[in-house]
Amino acid sequence: MGRDHRSRGNSRIEAAALAAFRQDVIAGLSLPQKALPPKHFYDAAGSRLFERICRLAEYYPTRTELAITRAQAGAIARFAGRGGVLMEYGSGESLKTRLLLRAMQPSVYMPVDISEAALRLAVAKLRRAFPGLRIAPVAGDFSRPLDLPRFRGRDRRVVYFPGSTIGNLTPQEAQAFLRMTRGQVGPRGAMLVGVDLKKDANVLHAAYNDSRGVTASFNLNLLSRINRELGGDFDLRRFAHYAFYNAPLGRIEMHLVSLRAQRVNVGDHRFAFDRGETIHTENSYKYSVEEFQALAAESGFRGEKVWSDRRGLFSVHGLIAD
Ligand SMILES: C[S@@+](CC[C@H](N)C(=O)[O-])C[C@H]1O[C@@H](n2cnc3c(N)ncnc32)[C@H](O)[C@@H]1O
């Protein structure tokens, strides 16, 4: 499997990833509003929990985006072109991608994900399902510069970014990300982005507070990961999942609430929590079609196509490099 810094040994890369995780945790827990970047949810256990979330009745985004992609696969392939290089950021289990791979028949598929365990599993399954397809996986963090394989030829490059992962970035980060991908796809390139739409706050609330508590387990797994990998002593019974729609900012916020005043150690560092104090663990921004197209336009893309469901829950945007 390809990695950024591919010439170095695996253990050195893992040590660097662990050091980056430690640095983010120590810095994030030292902030006045404690906060951790959502990319750290995705160790092997976190990726498995996310896949369970995708199958929950309340979690409409995955099944809606899947249905849109299935219904529009032909139109999406006509827009994106056949036979080019398809790069996917945050590919996870590459579920919706299968529909695109069939419709677009790219010459190369390059999935990029921070969760090496999820990527490895997804690629093994894809190799069985698409034996003739050239797959060039990259385990890495798309919020940092990545050393990606280069492909010769004049094939069109298309970046796929489904699953509303763009909503986990602030609008400023999303713009920077789109500018980066604009540079990668080049003048004839395109992008397909799955964007969750603004809607009734009750529907959003149910999606992030499922009745089976899977989203709560996903959120709390971040603390288990800190315990496992960084020598933390978080007591998971003393924290609770909390998610709500922040309407003025147009985002779901996910937090972990301290259920009592307590102190927690992470390695040599000690952090104090008041009762009710939270760690902000994720944002999921929701956009109107117009808001997202305006964001794309400021990043060098023209919003050319939008595919959506009848209820207006979710959108898939076809962007062309301007
Ligand atoms: C919301 S999930 C979406 C998964 C899948 N694309 C889908 O549509 O269901 C986010 C995915 O992006 C990956 N991810 C999150 N932050 C990342 C980062 N900074 N770099 C690379 N991958 C990241 C996670 O491991 C996860 O697979």
Side-chain angles (χ1 to χ4, degrees):
M1 183 171 309
R3 305 243 6 184
D4 52 326
H5 317 299
R6 270 164 288 152
S7 55
R8 297 182 201 160
N10 255 8
S11 57
R12 212 162 144 195
I13 295 162
E14 276 157 24
L18 189 66
F21 180 37
R22 181 178 294 109
Q23 197 175 15
D24 285 351
V25 169
I26 302 305
L29 295 182
S30 306
L31 293 169
Q33 166 60 72
K34 294 178 171 66
L36 295 170
K39 65 185 177 188
H40 296 309
F41 280 136
Y42 299 95
D43 63 348
S47 291
R48 279 195 300 274
L49 284 163
F50 182 74
E51 288 166 20
R52 281 182 60 200
I53 290 174
C54 289
R55 285 154 181 78
L56 292 168
E58 295 106 323
Y59 196 73
Y60 65 84
T62 306
R63 71 168 175 279
T64 312
E65 189 178 20
L66 200 54
I68 296 169
T69 311
R70 188 173 290 121
Q72 303 294 347
I76 293 173
R78 278 193 294 283
F79 164 80
R82 292 187 169 82
V85 175
L86 181 67
M87 301 167 56
E88 178 174 358
Y89 284 107
S91 48
E93 59 176 331
S94 294
L95 188 65
K96 284 153 263 185
T97 323
R98 288 169 171 246
L99 298 166
L100 288 192
L101 293 175
R102 274 188 208 106
M104 289 173 61
Q105 308 205 332
S107 55
V108 183
Y109 170 53
M110 191 169 85
V112 179
D113 205 289
I114 199 167
S115 177
E116 186 160 0
L119 186 63
R120 204 176 279 282
L121 198 65
V123 169
K125 288 184 183 167
L126 283 177
R127 289 212 158 107
R128 283 197 292 277
F130 298 86
L133 176 66
R134 186 169 163 205
I135 307 178
V138 176
D141 178 350
F142 61 62
S143 64
R144 296 162 181 257
L146 281 172
D147 180 11
L148 300 175
R150 282 175 226 293
F151 299 101
R152 279 196 223 106
R154 299 173 61 214
D155 279 350
R156 190 179 205 198
R157 263 165 279 162
V158 179
V159 166
Y160 184 38
F161 197 36
S164 183
T165 306
I166 198 151
N168 298 142
L169 310 179
T170 64
Q172 294 74 17
E173 288 167 343
Q175 226 177 70
F177 179 82
L178 290 174
R179 276 203 202 104
M180 188 255 314
T181 57
R182 166 66 186 80
Q184 285 173 341
V185 298
R188 294 168 54 238
M191 196 166 173
L192 295 165
V193 193
V195 180
D196 199 10
L197 295 173
K198 285 191 164 147
K199 61 182 64 66
D200 180 350
N202 291 310
V203 176
L204 290 170
H205 188 268
Y208 291 85
N209 291 282
D210 67 273
S211 51
R212 295 186 179 193
V214 184
T215 313
S217 301
F218 173 72
N219 200 3
L220 284 160
N221 177 60
L222 189 49
L223 303 185
S224 305
R225 184 178 185 189
I226 294 171
N227 289 350
R228 276 195 300 271
E229 297 185 20
L230 304 179
D233 63 0
F234 278 100
D235 181 343
L236 271 60
R237 293 164 303 184
R238 295 182 178 176
F239 286 87
H241 167 73
Y242 175 49
F244 63 95
Y245 185 57
N246 181 334
L249 294 178
R251 69 188 193 194
I252 284 280
E253 289 186 20
M254 237 157 67
H255 294 252
L256 288 163
V257 191
S258 175
L259 297 176
R260 54 152 83 173
Q262 56 183 317
R263 286 176 197 281
V264 176
N265 297 295
V266 179
D268 296 336
H269 298 261
R270 174 170 276 216
F271 301 97
F273 287 83
D274 290 332
R275 183 167 178 225
E277 188 178 353
T278 73
I279 310 173
H280 188 173
T281 51
E282 188 181 73
N283 290 316
S284 182
Y285 281 85
K286 312 301 171 190
Y287 291 94
S288 68
V289 165
E290 297 72 26
E291 281 168 345
F292 186 72
Q293 285 186 332
L295 188 87
E298 283 167 35
S299 317
F301 280 108
R302 189 173 68 250
E304 185 88 354
K305 297 271 184 197
V306 189
W307 296 278
S308 187
D309 56 297
R310 244 188 253 140
R311 291 176 63 198
L313 294 174
F314 202 90
S315 58
V316 177
H317 287 249
L319 310 178
I320 296 281
D322 235 351

